[in-house]
Amino acid sequence: MATSPPIDKRLLEEGSVFAPQFSAEGLIPCVTIDDRSGEVLMVAHMNGEALDKTLSTGIVHYWSRSRQALWRKGDTSGQVQSLVELRVDCDQDVLLARVKVGGDGGACHTGRRSCFYRRVEAAPSGPRLLPV
Amino acid sequence: MATSPPIDKRLLEEGSVFAPQFSAEGLIPCVTIDDRSGEVLMVAHMNGEALDKTLSTGIVHYWSRSRQALWRKGDTSGQVQSLVELRVDCDQDVLLARVKVGGDGGACHTGRRSCFYRRVEAAPSGPRLLPV
């Protein structure tokens, strides 16, 4: 998919036209948060097809960059994400999905609920990671 | 800046080594949330210098892709972001910054508190944006 066509900046920021700005690779990042807690669960990418399917089915789809394939989250894990609300940011190059998570309620392939399970801690030898 | 050097997947996901995975453009996206409410305020990018300065000063720095310059958020708006906690995701290619916002407490250049001020609503003629 090509980069999104140019659109007037004011229309992009203040208008009611949904004009998602895909990257040169045809992708737009999506921040996914838990409906109940508001916690950030994960960040992944959508292409046009994933976005269309998310909106038409109410089930969140992504584009897997590692597998180069459409990815209906939860197909193997059961952690299906039901879309509660989709937002877009000011310049329409990031999405924010509020979801109810099926299965065990988690989102990370490592088994954690959220992908953000480590914090960066300053140390004399340089920053290190600690569990949160 | 070149892409980050390869690192073992298990070390990346389970280790304590902070090995941020910069893109080919030398950037890593950062989701920034409000310390008190947990609300997602914005998503921007950091390069190595912005990340280093964020960690060494405790004030969040980004890389402005439009201006191609280091960007100490709040320098002109007063909306300085004091870092409370920095997290990294499982594969270390996204950052999550929890911040206290100075000035009027906002983060968006349009004057809103959050950049995510519109939701995508299905409509017969295609998706439209509505204020939240």
Side-chain angles (χ1 to χ4, degrees):
Chain A
M1 181 185 298
T3 307
S4 305
I7 180 173
D8 176 76
K9 180 175 154 69
R10 183 164 168 81
L11 189 63
L12 197 66
E13 293 181 353
E14 302 295 338
S16 61
V17 175
F18 183 43
Q21 302 295 293
F22 294 99
S23 69
E25 294 78 35
L27 300 176
I28 186 168
C30 178
V31 180
T32 302
I33 63 177
D34 184 86
D35 179 46
R36 277 185 297 187
S37 65
E39 181 186 12
V40 177
L41 296 173
M42 58 182 284
V43 175
H45 291 80
M46 292 183 181
N47 64 356
E49 184 185 5
L51 177 55
D52 287 348
K53 282 198 182 294
T54 297
L55 289 170
S56 63
T57 65
I59 301 296
V60 180
H61 292 65
Y62 303 100
W63 175 257
S64 168
R65 292 182 298 172
S66 56
R67 289 186 286 110
Q68 289 285 300
L70 187 70
W71 169 31
R72 183 180 178 278
K73 173 77 179 166
D75 262 353
T76 53
S77 66
Q79 298 168 338
V80 172
Q81 298 181 341
S82 300
L83 186 68
V84 175
E85 186 186 69
L86 187 68
R87 295 191 185 186
V88 67
D89 76 341
C90 45
D91 49 4
Q92 299 204 37
D93 62 2
V94 182
L95 299 171
L96 178 66
R98 181 176 282 269
V99 304
K100 287 187 195 296
V101 183
D104 63 5
C108 184
H109 74 286
T110 66
R112 279 89 166 186
R113 181 171 170 74
S114 162
C115 294
F116 295 92
Y117 51 84
R118 290 171 297 182
R119 66 185 170 86
V120 182
E121 180 81 1
S125 56
R128 304 281 289 175
L129 299 180
L130 290 176
V132 290
Chain B
M1 180 184 299
T3 308
S4 306
I7 179 173
D8 176 75
K9 180 175 153 69
R10 183 164 168 81
L11 190 63
L12 198 66
E13 293 181 354
E14 301 296 338
S16 60
V17 174
F18 183 43
Q21 302 295 294
F22 295 99
S23 70
E25 294 77 36
L27 300 177
I28 187 167
C30 178
V31 180
T32 302
I33 63 177
D34 185 87
D35 179 46
R36 277 185 297 187
S37 64
E39 181 187 12
V40 177
L41 297 172
M42 58 183 286
V43 175
H45 291 80
M46 292 183 181
N47 64 357
E49 184 184 5
L51 177 55
D52 287 347
K53 282 198 183 295
T54 297
L55 289 171
S56 63
T57 66
I59 301 297
V60 180
H61 291 65
Y62 302 101
W63 175 256
S64 168
R65 291 181 299 172
S66 57
R67 290 185 286 109
Q68 289 285 300
L70 188 71
W71 169 32
R72 183 179 178 278
K73 173 79 178 165
D75 263 353
T76 54
S77 66
Q79 296 168 339
V80 172
Q81 297 180 342
S82 301
L83 185 68
V84 175
E85 186 186 69
L86 187 68
R87 295 191 185 186
V88 66
D89 76 342
C90 46
D91 50 4
Q92 300 204 37
D93 62 2
V94 182
L95 299 171
L96 177 66
R98 180 175 283 268
V99 304
K100 287 186 194 296
V101 183
D104 64 6
C108 184
H109 74 286
T110 67
R112 280 90 165 183
R113 179 172 171 75
S114 163
C115 294
F116 295 91
Y117 51 85
R118 292 171 298 182
R119 65 185 171 86
V120 183
E121 181 79 359
S125 56
R128 305 280 291 173
L129 299 181
L130 291 175
V132 290

